[in-house]
Amino acid sequence: MTSANTAILQIICPDQAGLVAKIADFIHQHQGNIVDLGQHTDPVSKTFLMRIEWELKSFKLKKSDLKKYLKTWEKQYQMDIKLFFRSQKLKLGILVSKYPHCLEDLLMRQSLGELSVKIPVIISNHPDSSKVAKYYGIPYQQVSVEEKNKVQAEAKILKILKKHQVDFVVLARYMQILSQDFIAHYPNQIINIHHSFLPAFKGGKPYHQAYSRGVKIIGATSHYVTAELDNGPIIEQRVARVSHRHGVEDLIRLGRDQERLALAEAVRLHSEHRILAYENKTVVFE
Amino acid sequence: MTSANTAILQIICPDQAGLVAKIADFIHQHQGNIVDLGQHTDPVSKTFLMRIEWELKSFKLKKSDLKKYLKTWEKQYQMDIKLFFRSQKLKLGILVSKYPHCLEDLLMRQSLGELSVKIPVIISNHPDSSKVAKYYGIPYQQVSVEEKNKVQAEAKILKILKKHQVDFVVLARYMQILSQDFIAHYPNQIINIHHSFLPAFKGGKPYHQAYSRGVKIIGATSHYVTAELDNGPIIEQRVARVSHRHGVEDLIRLGRDQERLALAEAVRLHSEHRILAYENKTVVFE
Amino acid sequence: MTSANTAILQIICPDQAGLVAKIADFIHQHQGNIVDLGQHTDPVSKTFLMRIEWELKSFKLKKSDLKKYLKTWEKQYQMDIKLFFRSQKLKLGILVSKYPHCLEDLLMRQSLGELSVKIPVIISNHPDSSKVAKYYGIPYQQVSVEEKNKVQAEAKILKILKKHQVDFVVLARYMQILSQDFIAHYPNQIINIHHSFLPAFKGGKPYHQAYSRGVKIIGATSHYVTAELDNGPIIEQRVARVSHRHGVEDLIRLGRDQERLALAEAVRLHSEHRILAYENKTVVFE
Amino acid sequence: MTSANTAILQIICPDQAGLVAKIADFIHQHQGNIVDLGQHTDPVSKTFLMRIEWELKSFKLKKSDLKKYLKTWEKQYQMDIKLFFRSQKLKLGILVSKYPHCLEDLLMRQSLGELSVKIPVIISNHPDSSKVAKYYGIPYQQVSVEEKNKVQAEAKILKILKKHQVDFVVLARYMQILSQDFIAHYPNQIINIHHSFLPAFKGGKPYHQAYSRGVKIIGATSHYVTAELDNGPIIEQRVARVSHRHGVEDLIRLGRDQERLALAEAVRLHSEHRILAYENKTVVFE
């Protein structure tokens, strides 16, 4: 429940006494009305993490001056600060391969107003999803990827993303492994959906792994993509009960729902700037 | 999570700009280090609700002076303020009838250190649980209740609770309906466990009701007791899947686990002062 | 996991000794290989319920003869028997009003092969969903309903359903209450999705009811439609945790997922003939 | 659900046509009234698995003759057959180390009649739980285990279990790894509770592993003990949501409930002969 015309600060820094007061007071001094404040101190690493959102209506500080202040804080408190404005919807670029269920789910949710993002482009290494892209009126770019042209393909994809000024990327069951170079362009801004309850069943064919292990619960995990495969900061996980009666096909079917939910929730949280990533973990201020 | 030597403020008042800053700053001014801050503004009733916890180690304000300040706030901002200290564990009085599972669960958890409460007395209208009370070394007082002596029985119970300086009461499957007069002595300080997913199946024999309705999920609800039966502010709810294969006995068995979990969580949250009740609802700062 | 070329029997009758043996043996006598057998005896009403599925490949009995046998059973054992063939997909007619999420979800699942049904027609009292119907290549019939023309509207809808030989009907957030006459045409063959955890919050605006009651868990319920509103046999229920931070809009958003899941599961179970309805309850052989 | 005076058959064999009919008919031929029948055919390994329960009241076959028949079946159909009688409660031996919560939970449930087992003995390598054992009137044997005396200790434990004619063993947070020789005495009759969502976080300190990985859901897994550590057939799994706010201590606290539930359910299922283990998996006929 937050009004549209607000500013949001994400702050990560070494813990110090008085930070909450300092920040809240600063916003209040300039007639900013705080509508949401989430704060957490990691007891192990003594890291201070905060998300604060306030109304701009009555806020007396010009954006440029605000940014100046934040610069001084960054030095003074060794803060890692991110500033966002609700009015500026993030631009989401979706990468997809053959399985369309996550893509279709995201498009459906956005059309229902569940996700406050713009989707300027969908990129795929297959033609399959061009029809649904067209239905939703979103440009669809096919970039086929083979072993031999991986580098060029990534360069092409990167160019398309930059051209559409994409803020963050979702791998909606995109079946190509991205290079470190590629990932470096979007640190903690590439969200992947892995079709298992990580860290169980990393890598390929997780549902087959789950079936042969005979687990009683399957799951899906959305996480930020890092250099290490399936090992980035976990954003959201969903699970479903299964039994001996469920074959691999059933696990895949039941898993699809968990994939949809875990990915859609991650996109929602990211687009509302509710996720702070640090030490290969996430702090989610819901 | 939170160190033992802390103070906690629960604040409810009409929303006004700058409250978070004001309160956080006040604590900081007196060298209090905030370890946990939860805040919510009800968008409908424009009610401001806050829970703030800070370390007393370095805090420069004497308790008496702190209380003076809070008094002035109460007037100035029409605040409803409650002040607690972690070091002062709440005293819990448990009322129980014949079913022992919730009582035994609470005693087990407290002995494991899961619940930061003292349990000075257990009161029952039956002798059944005296053995387990003895095992845990807790005084057990039997107060039998019949239609004709209800008023005297409640008076007796009240006297026992006062004598043991009980801060809050748990009805661990206590099968007597308490009078308004009794409840008035412990506003939002009597926690009941109802063995259904409220508001469904109020009143008696909820599992039988659930069975005959053929629901696919059953539940349990912990709530504060108010004058209206089974209609007080809901604290926690738990559910379990059932099928046609589950008879009433099975629902009762499965329900017991949900009752234990929903009640134990409510006691934990209350004892850590994480629940703010208003407008027949709860705001829970986990 | 059942092969496509199978027959399925649904049997409901007063319990008698030897029914399982009788039926299994009958199928075996005629070289039918049983691939799935679900059986339940209601201990209260002493009702015998069974779902048995067997391969037709090697089955030696002609359909006509099989049906003759079943006729004799119906008399001999007072059996209510239904016979289905996997190869004959049920025809599903969908009724929808303005909210498209359940409709779109069903269409998406069917296109993914999750639901073994044909969808010959979509009927709505609004034009809104014609576009998505067109996208999936399904005839879309608009039948506007006002107070004064309710009877004619239902007659029109019925005519369309009959014309398309619809086997069962789904109310995918269809906001008109159907008459008893209409319902009588499809006994236990009209599936509704109610956006609450029934029996809680029957009738209108359940999410608003849930919000004002302050529940900690919301839900959705799919059930067969009977004369009594929101009181038919429950097929599936799904729930989601909520907190004070969730406004009505959030409950509606979170609820949509539960509605989709509860309805899609009901359609899947019904289309695979896994639901036996009796005494205003369902027995689901998963 | 099922009456007390019943017989139960567990059957595992290569799939063949007509098995269900054959077995059901055999029981019916001798006036046995089937009260519960669960059947599954593994589509991959073509394995037939069945659990059938029937009333002995009217059953005309002497136990000795019944066993003779089963012997012939075992040859004829390469069946692995187990025969049980509800009236003969299984004897459960519990091994525990320092953490008492699973032990106490099992004892509480048995005293409530939730578990139809006898518990003739509790064995521990620590004195801690002797008090609770005494409270429930169960012999408590302390067998301390050090590196140097592991073999003798296991021999001693085995002797105690045999002396009390224990049918199956539960490791209620027993922190010693059992030798292959020991396990061989109770194939698929030793149930362990692992405090993670297997196969994630095998081995030691799973909650610490979960915390540092930053998972959003934790779990517990009950499984049969095999030679390979934490890799036996999974019986039941339970999960709980966690967030960044939960420290290791909180994960341990929340995990305890999942451990209790996953272990108690496994004991219930095993004691009712509902679990068939094969190919390092379980088929659970609930």
Side-chain angles (χ1 to χ4, degrees):
Chain A
M1 303 272 78
T2 45
S3 68
N5 185 24
T6 59
I8 296 160
L9 276 182
Q10 287 185 347
I11 297 175
I12 303 179
C13 67
D15 190 26
Q16 304 143 67
L19 285 173
V20 173
K22 169 93 191 165
I23 296 159
D25 192 48
F26 167 83
I27 290 163
H28 179 54
Q29 292 304 321
H30 302 87
Q31 279 75 51
N33 187 36
I34 297 164
V35 290
D36 198 6
L37 187 159
Q39 185 270 330
H40 176 64
T41 305
D42 184 320
V44 179
S45 64
K46 306 282 180 236
T47 306
F48 174 90
L49 303 105
M50 187 181 201
R51 179 192 185 275
I52 189 162
E53 181 167 10
W54 70 95
E55 292 175 336
L56 291 171
K57 201 162 55 319
S58 53
F59 196 54
K60 290 277 164 292
L61 211 54
K62 285 211 270 39
K63 286 182 185 183
S64 53
D65 297 336
L66 172 58
K67 282 168 181 168
K68 272 201 215 90
Y69 270 100
L70 299 181
K71 280 260 160 301
T72 64
W73 285 5
E74 288 181 320
K75 290 197 194 56
Q76 192 176 351
Y77 303 101
Q78 305 152 261
M79 282 181 176
D80 165 2
I81 302 181
K82 293 207 182 83
L83 172 64
F84 303 98
F85 299 97
R86 280 259 179 189
S87 54
Q88 293 169 19
K89 285 189 180 179
L90 291 187
K91 294 203 182 74
L92 163 62
I94 303 178
L95 269 62
V96 64
S97 292
K98 275 174 169 274
Y99 301 117
H101 57 281
C102 284
L103 169 67
E104 293 181 358
D105 185 67
L106 290 175
L107 297 177
M108 194 169 73
R109 289 176 191 276
Q110 197 233 13
S111 73
L112 289 169
E114 283 186 24
L115 304 173
S116 60
V117 294
K118 293 175 182 170
I119 304 177
V121 66
I122 296 166
I123 303 171
S124 177
N125 53 333
H126 294 285
D128 308 54
S129 292
S130 58
K131 191 189 164 202
V132 70
K134 188 156 175 255
Y135 175 72
Y136 284 100
I138 298 169
Y140 187 83
Q141 304 263 318
Q142 191 176 335
V143 179
S144 42
V145 182
E146 282 96 38
E147 264 328 303
K148 50 175 181 36
N149 76 343
K150 252 182 156 312
V151 179
Q152 301 90 311
E154 283 197 351
K156 214 183 278 183
I157 292 168
L158 212 47
K159 206 168 151 218
I160 296 167
L161 294 175
K162 299 296 183 188
K163 181 190 146 209
H164 288 90
Q165 297 169 293
V166 160
D167 295 300
F168 73 114
V169 177
V170 160
L171 310 182
R173 301 301 308 276
Y174 182 66
M175 292 310 172
Q176 299 293 325
I177 294 170
L178 298 170
S179 72
Q180 260 176 272
D181 291 4
F182 187 99
I183 295 165
H185 283 84
Y186 293 95
N188 291 329
Q189 284 159 323
I190 304 174
I191 298 173
N192 181 47
I193 179 69
H194 185 74
H195 41 308
S196 90
F197 186 69
L198 288 176
F201 310 131
K202 290 183 189 179
K205 294 197 166 300
Y207 292 125
H208 292 74
Q209 293 184 56
Y211 177 78
S212 59
R213 181 60 187 96
V215 293
K216 300 300 186 183
I217 295 178
I218 60 167
T221 304
S222 55
H223 64 91
Y224 286 122
V225 175
T226 56
E228 199 179 335
L229 184 67
D230 298 336
N231 204 35
I234 292 171
I235 300 168
E236 172 69 337
Q237 301 188 289
R238 296 292 174 104
V239 292
R241 286 192 76 84
V242 295
S243 81
H244 61 272
R245 294 181 56 79
H246 295 96
V248 171
E249 288 312 310
D250 298 298
L251 301 194
I252 290 170
R253 173 176 56 79
L254 289 166
R256 271 199 291 261
D257 283 325
Q258 308 315 315
E259 295 166 35
R260 289 175 182 121
L261 294 168
L263 180 57
E265 179 66 357
V267 170
R268 189 184 70 82
L269 293 168
H270 185 94
S271 65
E272 296 179 4
H273 316 292
R274 299 190 175 280
I275 313 171
L276 280 67
Y278 81 112
E279 295 181 348
N280 208 44
K281 290 185 188 186
T282 63
V283 165
V284 177
F285 292 117
E286 291 178 35
Chain B
M1 297 265 61
T2 45
S3 70
N5 186 23
T6 58
I8 296 160
L9 276 182
Q10 286 185 348
I11 297 176
I12 304 178
C13 67
D15 190 26
Q16 304 140 70
L19 285 173
V20 173
K22 168 94 191 164
I23 296 160
D25 193 49
F26 167 83
I27 290 163
H28 178 53
Q29 291 304 322
H30 302 89
Q31 279 75 51
N33 187 36
I34 297 165
V35 290
D36 198 7
L37 187 158
Q39 185 269 331
H40 176 64
T41 305
D42 183 320
V44 179
S45 64
K46 304 283 179 236
T47 306
F48 174 91
L49 303 106
M50 187 182 199
R51 179 191 186 274
I52 188 163
E53 181 166 9
W54 69 95
E55 293 175 335
L56 292 170
K57 199 161 48 345
S58 53
F59 196 55
K60 291 279 167 289
L61 211 54
K62 287 213 270 38
K63 285 184 185 181
S64 52
D65 296 336
L66 173 58
K67 283 170 180 164
K68 272 202 214 89
Y69 272 98
L70 299 180
K71 280 260 161 302
T72 63
W73 285 4
E74 288 182 319
K75 288 197 196 55
Q76 192 174 352
Y77 304 100
Q78 305 152 263
M79 281 181 176
D80 165 4
I81 301 181
K82 292 206 183 83
L83 173 65
F84 304 98
F85 299 97
R86 279 257 178 190
S87 55
Q88 293 170 19
K89 285 188 181 179
L90 291 187
K91 294 204 181 74
L92 164 62
I94 303 178
L95 270 61
V96 64
S97 291
K98 276 175 170 273
Y99 301 116
H101 57 281
C102 284
L103 170 67
E104 293 182 358
D105 185 68
L106 289 175
L107 297 177
M108 195 169 70
R109 289 176 192 276
Q110 198 234 12
S111 73
L112 290 169
E114 283 185 25
L115 304 173
S116 60
V117 294
K118 293 175 182 170
I119 304 176
V121 66
I122 297 165
I123 303 171
S124 178
N125 54 334
H126 296 284
D128 309 54
S129 293
S130 59
K131 192 188 165 203
V132 69
K134 188 154 177 260
Y135 174 71
Y136 284 100
I138 298 170
Y140 187 85
Q141 304 264 316
Q142 190 177 335
V143 179
S144 43
V145 183
E146 282 96 38
E147 264 329 303
K148 52 173 179 39
N149 76 343
K150 253 181 155 311
V151 178
Q152 301 90 310
E154 282 197 352
K156 211 183 280 182
I157 292 168
L158 212 47
K159 205 167 150 219
I160 297 168
L161 294 174
K162 299 295 183 187
K163 182 189 146 212
H164 288 89
Q165 297 169 293
V166 160
D167 296 299
F168 73 115
V169 176
V170 160
L171 310 183
R173 300 299 309 275
Y174 182 66
M175 291 309 171
Q176 299 293 325
I177 293 169
L178 298 170
S179 72
Q180 260 175 273
D181 292 3
F182 187 98
I183 295 165
H185 284 83
Y186 294 95
N188 291 330
Q189 285 160 322
I190 304 175
I191 298 173
N192 182 48
I193 180 69
H194 185 74
H195 42 309
S196 90
F197 185 70
L198 287 175
F201 311 130
K202 292 183 186 179
K205 294 200 167 298
Y207 292 125
H208 292 73
Q209 294 183 56
Y211 177 78
S212 59
R213 180 60 186 96
V215 293
K216 300 300 184 183
I217 295 177
I218 60 167
T221 305
S222 54
H223 63 92
Y224 287 123
V225 175
T226 55
E228 197 179 334
L229 184 67
D230 298 336
N231 204 35
I234 292 171
I235 300 168
E236 171 70 335
Q237 300 187 290
R238 295 292 174 107
V239 291
R241 286 191 76 81
V242 295
S243 80
H244 61 271
R245 293 180 57 79
H246 294 98
V248 171
E249 288 312 309
D250 299 296
L251 301 193
I252 290 170
R253 172 177 57 80
L254 289 165
R256 271 199 291 259
D257 283 325
Q258 309 314 315
E259 295 167 35
R260 290 175 181 121
L261 294 168
L263 180 57
E265 179 66 359
V267 170
R268 188 183 70 81
L269 293 168
H270 185 94
S271 66
E272 296 178 6
H273 317 291
R274 299 190 175 281
I275 313 171
L276 279 68
Y278 81 112
E279 294 182 347
N280 208 44
K281 291 186 188 186
T282 63
V283 165
V284 177
F285 292 115
E286 289 179 34
Chain C
M1 302 275 78
T2 44
S3 68
N5 185 24
T6 59
I8 296 160
L9 276 182
Q10 288 185 346
I11 297 175
I12 304 178
C13 66
D15 191 25
Q16 304 143 67
L19 285 174
V20 173
K22 169 92 191 165
I23 296 160
D25 192 48
F26 168 81
I27 289 163
H28 178 53
Q29 290 306 319
H30 303 87
Q31 278 76 51
N33 187 36
I34 296 165
V35 290
D36 197 7
L37 187 159
Q39 185 271 330
H40 176 64
T41 306
D42 184 319
V44 179
S45 65
K46 305 282 179 237
T47 306
F48 173 91
L49 303 105
M50 187 181 201
R51 179 194 186 273
I52 189 162
E53 181 167 10
W54 70 95
E55 293 174 337
L56 291 171
K57 200 163 48 337
S58 53
F59 195 54
K60 291 277 165 293
L61 211 55
K62 285 212 274 32
K63 286 184 185 182
S64 52
D65 296 336
L66 172 59
K67 283 169 180 167
K68 273 201 213 91
Y69 271 99
L70 300 181
K71 280 260 161 298
T72 63
W73 285 5
E74 288 181 321
K75 289 195 195 56
Q76 191 175 351
Y77 304 101
Q78 304 152 260
M79 282 180 176
D80 165 3
I81 302 181
K82 292 206 184 83
L83 172 65
F84 303 98
F85 300 97
R86 279 258 178 190
S87 54
Q88 293 169 19
K89 285 188 179 179
L90 291 187
K91 294 203 181 75
L92 164 62
I94 303 178
L95 270 61
V96 63
S97 292
K98 276 175 170 273
Y99 300 117
H101 56 282
C102 284
L103 169 67
E104 293 182 358
D105 185 68
L106 289 176
L107 297 178
M108 194 168 71
R109 289 176 191 276
Q110 198 233 14
S111 73
L112 289 169
E114 283 185 23
L115 304 173
S116 59
V117 293
K118 293 175 182 170
I119 304 177
V121 65
I122 297 165
I123 304 171
S124 178
N125 53 333
H126 295 285
D128 309 53
S129 292
S130 58
K131 191 188 164 204
V132 70
K134 188 153 174 263
Y135 174 71
Y136 284 100
I138 298 170
Y140 187 84
Q141 304 262 317
Q142 191 176 335
V143 179
S144 43
V145 183
E146 281 96 39
E147 264 328 302
K148 52 176 178 39
N149 76 343
K150 252 180 156 312
V151 178
Q152 302 89 310
E154 282 197 351
K156 213 183 279 182
I157 292 169
L158 211 48
K159 205 167 151 221
I160 296 167
L161 295 174
K162 298 296 182 187
K163 183 191 146 210
H164 288 90
Q165 298 170 293
V166 160
D167 296 300
F168 73 114
V169 176
V170 159
L171 309 182
R173 303 298 310 276
Y174 183 66
M175 292 308 172
Q176 299 293 325
I177 293 170
L178 298 170
S179 72
Q180 261 175 271
D181 291 4
F182 186 99
I183 296 165
H185 283 84
Y186 293 95
N188 291 329
Q189 284 159 322
I190 304 174
I191 298 173
N192 181 48
I193 180 70
H194 185 73
H195 41 308
S196 90
F197 186 72
L198 288 176
F201 311 131
K202 290 183 189 179
K205 294 200 167 298
Y207 292 125
H208 292 75
Q209 294 183 55
Y211 177 78
S212 60
R213 180 61 187 95
V215 293
K216 300 300 185 183
I217 295 177
I218 60 166
T221 305
S222 55
H223 63 91
Y224 287 122
V225 175
T226 56
E228 198 179 333
L229 184 67
D230 297 337
N231 204 35
I234 292 171
I235 300 168
E236 172 69 337
Q237 300 187 290
R238 295 292 174 105
V239 291
R241 286 192 76 84
V242 295
S243 81
H244 61 272
R245 294 180 56 78
H246 295 96
V248 171
E249 288 311 310
D250 299 298
L251 300 193
I252 290 170
R253 173 177 55 81
L254 289 165
R256 272 199 290 259
D257 283 324
Q258 309 315 314
E259 295 166 36
R260 289 175 182 122
L261 294 168
L263 181 57
E265 180 66 357
V267 170
R268 188 184 71 82
L269 292 168
H270 186 94
S271 65
E272 297 179 4
H273 316 292
R274 299 190 175 282
I275 313 171
L276 280 67
Y278 81 111
E279 295 181 348
N280 208 44
K281 289 185 189 187
T282 63
V283 165
V284 177
F285 293 116
E286 289 178 36
Chain D
M1 297 267 64
T2 45
S3 69
N5 186 23
T6 58
I8 295 160
L9 276 182
Q10 287 185 347
I11 298 176
I12 303 178
C13 67
D15 191 24
Q16 303 141 70
L19 285 172
V20 173
K22 168 93 192 164
I23 296 160
D25 193 49
F26 167 82
I27 289 163
H28 178 52
Q29 291 305 320
H30 302 89
Q31 279 75 51
N33 187 36
I34 297 165
V35 290
D36 197 7
L37 186 159
Q39 185 269 330
H40 176 64
T41 306
D42 183 318
V44 179
S45 64
K46 305 280 178 240
T47 306
F48 174 91
L49 303 106
M50 187 182 199
R51 179 193 186 274
I52 188 163
E53 181 166 10
W54 70 94
E55 292 175 336
L56 291 170
K57 198 162 57 323
S58 53
F59 196 55
K60 291 277 165 290
L61 211 54
K62 288 213 266 44
K63 285 184 186 181
S64 52
D65 295 338
L66 173 58
K67 283 169 180 165
K68 270 200 216 90
Y69 272 97
L70 300 180
K71 280 260 160 302
T72 64
W73 286 2
E74 288 181 319
K75 287 196 196 56
Q76 193 175 350
Y77 305 99
Q78 304 152 262
M79 281 181 175
D80 165 4
I81 301 181
K82 292 207 182 84
L83 173 65
F84 303 99
F85 299 98
R86 279 257 179 190
S87 54
Q88 293 169 20
K89 284 188 180 179
L90 290 187
K91 294 203 181 75
L92 164 62
I94 303 178
L95 270 61
V96 64
S97 292
K98 276 175 170 272
Y99 302 116
H101 57 281
C102 284
L103 170 67
E104 293 181 356
D105 185 68
L106 289 175
L107 296 177
M108 195 168 71
R109 288 175 192 276
Q110 198 234 11
S111 72
L112 290 169
E114 282 185 25
L115 304 173
S116 60
V117 295
K118 293 175 182 170
I119 303 176
V121 65
I122 296 165
I123 303 171
S124 177
N125 54 333
H126 296 285
D128 309 54
S129 292
S130 59
K131 192 188 166 204
V132 70
K134 188 155 176 258
Y135 174 71
Y136 284 100
I138 297 170
Y140 186 85
Q141 303 263 315
Q142 190 177 335
V143 179
S144 42
V145 183
E146 281 96 38
E147 263 330 301
K148 52 174 178 36
N149 77 342
K150 252 181 155 313
V151 178
Q152 302 90 310
E154 282 196 352
K156 212 184 276 183
I157 292 168
L158 213 46
K159 207 170 149 216
I160 297 168
L161 295 173
K162 299 295 182 187
K163 183 190 145 208
H164 288 89
Q165 297 169 294
V166 160
D167 296 299
F168 73 115
V169 176
V170 160
L171 309 183
R173 300 300 310 273
Y174 182 66
M175 293 310 172
Q176 298 294 324
I177 294 169
L178 298 170
S179 71
Q180 261 175 271
D181 292 4
F182 187 98
I183 295 165
H185 285 83
Y186 294 95
N188 291 329
Q189 285 159 323
I190 304 175
I191 298 172
N192 181 49
I193 179 69
H194 185 73
H195 41 310
S196 90
F197 185 74
L198 287 175
F201 311 131
K202 291 183 188 179
K205 296 200 166 298
Y207 292 125
H208 292 73
Q209 294 183 55
Y211 177 78
S212 58
R213 181 60 187 95
V215 293
K216 301 301 185 182
I217 296 178
I218 59 167
T221 305
S222 55
H223 64 91
Y224 287 122
V225 175
T226 55
E228 199 179 333
L229 184 67
D230 299 335
N231 204 35
I234 292 171
I235 300 168
E236 172 69 335
Q237 300 187 290
R238 295 293 174 104
V239 291
R241 286 192 76 83
V242 295
S243 80
H244 61 271
R245 294 180 57 80
H246 295 97
V248 171
E249 287 312 308
D250 298 296
L251 300 193
I252 290 170
R253 172 177 56 80
L254 289 165
R256 271 198 292 259
D257 283 324
Q258 308 315 314
E259 296 167 34
R260 290 175 180 122
L261 294 168
L263 181 57
E265 180 66 356
V267 170
R268 188 183 71 81
L269 293 168
H270 186 95
S271 66
E272 296 179 5
H273 316 293
R274 300 191 175 280
I275 313 171
L276 279 68
Y278 81 112
E279 295 183 347
N280 207 45
K281 291 185 186 186
T282 63
V283 165
V284 177
F285 292 116
E286 289 178 35

